[in-house]
Amino acid sequence: MAVNKDNIKIHVSHLKKNFGTLEVLKDISNDIFEGEVVVIIGPSGSGKSTFLRCMNRLENITSGQIVIDDYDISDKSIDINKVRENVGMVFQHFNLFNNLNVMRNLTLAPVDLKKATREEAQTLALRMLDRVGLVDKADAFPAQLSGGQKQRVAIARALCMNPDIMLFDEPTSALDPEMVGEVLSVMKQLAAEGMTMVIVTHEIGFAREVADRVIFMDGGYIVEEGTPEDIFQNPREPRTIDFLNKVL
């Protein structure tokens, strides 16, 4: 599905985020469009994950504005939980409930938030487990799964809320190398289906293959952005060139 430039899904304007006196995001402005896959790269400490976490207000915004699907989430009166129902989040360390089996992990939120009956939630959960190739693990507990399987369950769990947008915070960095591919293949499938995605990752090969746009961050700023070809083959900024020389 093509990117729809007529529909801005995430509008970011002059975003700043401080932790005490530490300025982590200094002045970020960007628009992310419907169906767009945006990959954010950069060195550790550049503000990538903080930027992502501000997009569903897991980090409170110091100043500036983030608008998601016409909801201004920088407005403290907005019901952020309502907004989050349409914004799936996949974390580096899976964040599954270890005391619940896979099926309960997937059905908990849809049932608790009254988006589905238990039967509807279970039917949807099985469909999502099928998408990530793990139907046979519905009754397993997280401790019985590999890292790659846990992350695929985490993706299925996010999809059970029928989100419009998926945020991925370094989804493969906690995985053994041989498990990375199974998670990236699920993400490629979502991209091909037209899901709006924002992905913080160190997987440069994946970014080349899947991203519509790559954002390079450093020091709390967006230093450079463009198509994968622009960024990886013809970077303009010295800081981007220096970073890519070290990782490519």
Side-chain angles (χ1 to χ4, degrees), residues 148-168:
Q149 288 170 334
K150 287 178 188 173
Q151 195 59 292
R152 284 188 283 156
V153 168
I155 293 171
R157 180 179 61 178
L159 292 174
C160 279
M161 294 298 290
N162 288 318
D164 294 335
I165 298 164
M166 288 282 284
L167 308 178
F168 292 87

Side-chain angles (χ1 to χ4, degrees), residues 111-127:
V111 172
D112 280 3
L113 295 169
K114 298 185 169 51
K115 291 195 91 172
T117 65
R118 189 165 300 284
E119 293 73 22
E120 288 167 345
Q122 288 177 342
T123 300
L124 179 61
L126 286 171
R127 204 162 80 235

Side-chain angles (χ1 to χ4, degrees), residues 50-67:
T50 300
F51 180 28
L52 195 78
R53 289 168 66 85
C54 285
M55 288 184 200
N56 65 355
R57 224 171 70 194
L58 285 174
E59 300 293 354
N60 283 319
I61 295 159
T62 301
S63 66
Q65 185 184 48
I66 298 180
V67 179

Side-chain angles (χ1 to χ4, degrees), residues 9 16 35 54 73 84 92 98 125 130 143 150 157 160 205-206 216 218-219 231 238-239 242 248:
K9 297 294 283 181
K16 295 185 179 182
C54 285
I73 67 166
R84 284 181 186 147
Q92 184 176 345
N98 289 322
D130 186 46
K150 287 178 188 173
R157 180 179 61 178
C160 279
F206 174 77
F216 173 69
D218 190 37
I231 298 300
R239 184 65 189 96
D242 179 53
L248 292 179

Side-chain angles (χ1 to χ4, degrees), residues 39-182:
V39 172
I40 304 173
I41 62 169
S44 296
S46 59
K48 308 182 301 291
S49 289
T50 300
F51 180 28
L52 195 78
R53 289 168 66 85
C54 285
M55 288 184 200
N56 65 355
R57 224 171 70 194
L58 285 174
E59 300 293 354
N60 283 319
I61 295 159
T62 301
S63 66
Q65 185 184 48
I66 298 180
V67 179
I68 294 182
D69 283 335
D70 299 326
Y71 290 98
D72 182 353
I73 67 166
S74 28
D75 178 352
K76 294 290 194 293
S77 67
I78 283 286
D79 181 355
I80 190 61
N81 290 321
K82 196 76 190 154
V83 179
R84 284 181 186 147
E85 288 179 16
N86 292 320
V87 183
M89 179 93 182
V90 176
F91 300 88
Q92 184 176 345
H93 293 292
F94 326 126
N95 288 21
L96 299 174
F97 295 106
N98 289 322
N99 60 323
L100 301 179
N101 69 14
V102 167
M103 178 58 76
R104 287 281 289 130
N105 263 283
L106 267 62
T107 57
L108 191 67
V111 172
D112 280 3
L113 295 169
K114 298 185 169 51
K115 291 195 91 172
T117 65
R118 189 165 300 284
E119 293 73 22
E120 288 167 345
Q122 288 177 342
T123 300
L124 179 61
L126 286 171
R127 204 162 80 235
M128 295 308 151
L129 285 173
D130 186 46
R131 281 180 78 174
V132 300
L134 289 173
V135 170
D136 60 325
K137 299 296 184 185
D139 296 324
F141 284 80
Q144 298 168 302
L145 303 176
S146 71
Q149 288 170 334
K150 287 178 188 173
Q151 195 59 292
R152 284 188 283 156
V153 168
I155 293 171
R157 180 179 61 178
L159 292 174
C160 279
M161 294 298 290
N162 288 318
D164 294 335
I165 298 164
M166 288 282 284
L167 308 178
F168 292 87
D169 189 8
E170 300 196 24
T172 59
S173 62
L175 300 179
D176 292 334
E178 69 267 22
M179 294 173 185
V180 170
E182 63 190 63

